[in-house]
Amino acid sequence: GGPLAQATGPAASTDTLPVADCVAGRMAAVQVHGHGRVRDLAAGLRAKSSGLYEKAAAWVGATDCAPIEVHLVADRHAARVELPAWHLPPWAAGAAMPKARAIVLMVHADGRRHDRERVLLHEMGHLATAAAAGNQKVPRWFDEGVARRLAGEDTQDDDRVLAEARLS
């Protein structure tokens, strides 16, 4: 692993591959699946996802290239009904499961439409942080800070979402 793995100890699992083993010079193949009424938006997000994980991985020193599954849903209800493993709080626009290398993104959350590319980069930051740490637990403030910094989330609105996440 990268610098985070060195700081947190030996890797807990060997389910990531070094960059040299990545296919066609890409770190992680990103597969985007649209669900329900937003199915047709998946192709656009797939095109925008190119290079996002590489950016996140380079920033934290991750060297893995396992594929990433992205699930695009309309809202929290769709995430729960169409993807039963995802139970998202009202303030979330997306979520990541680093060990599963999976991300869910909502088109609408809190009654607002989200910048899917920005949210995807944020969630990829969580995957890259976990990979760089060898899937060891890192402090939530650090994980969120890395993801927020990568996605350029430094407005008061973003601070409100972070505060709600912290309180929950």
Side-chain angles (χ1 to χ4, degrees):
L4 289 180
Q6 294 165 0
T8 59
S13 69
T14 58
D15 56 7
T16 58
L17 301 173
V19 173
D21 294 335
C22 294
V23 178
R26 292 192 50 155
M27 287 194 69
V30 178
Q31 300 169 8
V32 180
H33 309 282
H35 299 274
R37 67 180 193 237
V38 299
R39 186 178 321 270
D40 59 334
L41 298 176
L45 186 60
R46 188 175 306 115
K48 290 180 178 182
S49 71
S50 180
L52 292 182
Y53 185 74
E54 288 79 358
K55 179 179 179 177
W59 209 66
V60 297
T63 59
D64 61 314
C65 62
I68 297 169
E69 295 279 331
V70 177
H71 299 279
L72 183 63
V73 296
D75 52 29
R76 271 185 320 124
H77 176 72
R80 189 173 53 254
V81 172
E82 297 172 28
L83 306 169
W86 299 91
H87 297 281
L88 304 172
W91 46 263
M97 287 185 183
K99 288 184 181 178
R101 303 280 290 170
I103 294 171
V104 65
L105 296 179
M106 294 178 291
V107 173
H108 294 92
D110 244 357
R112 297 177 308 194
R113 190 173 181 97
H114 290 283
D115 175 353
R116 291 181 295 276
E117 186 176 349
R118 181 184 60 80
V119 176
L120 180 57
L121 181 56
H122 176 108
E123 299 307 333
M124 289 208 180
H126 291 305
L127 296 184
T129 299
N135 287 321
Q136 298 291 315
K137 186 159 178 66
V138 296
R140 184 168 183 178
W141 62 265
F142 181 80
D143 188 27
E144 281 301 325
V146 167
R148 291 184 75 222
R149 181 73 174 141
L150 271 168
E153 297 169 341
D154 53 8
T155 67
Q156 285 183 339
D157 193 42
D158 295 313
D159 289 341
R160 178 190 58 82
V161 170
L162 185 60
E164 288 178 15
R166 180 68 179 131
L167 290 173
S168 72

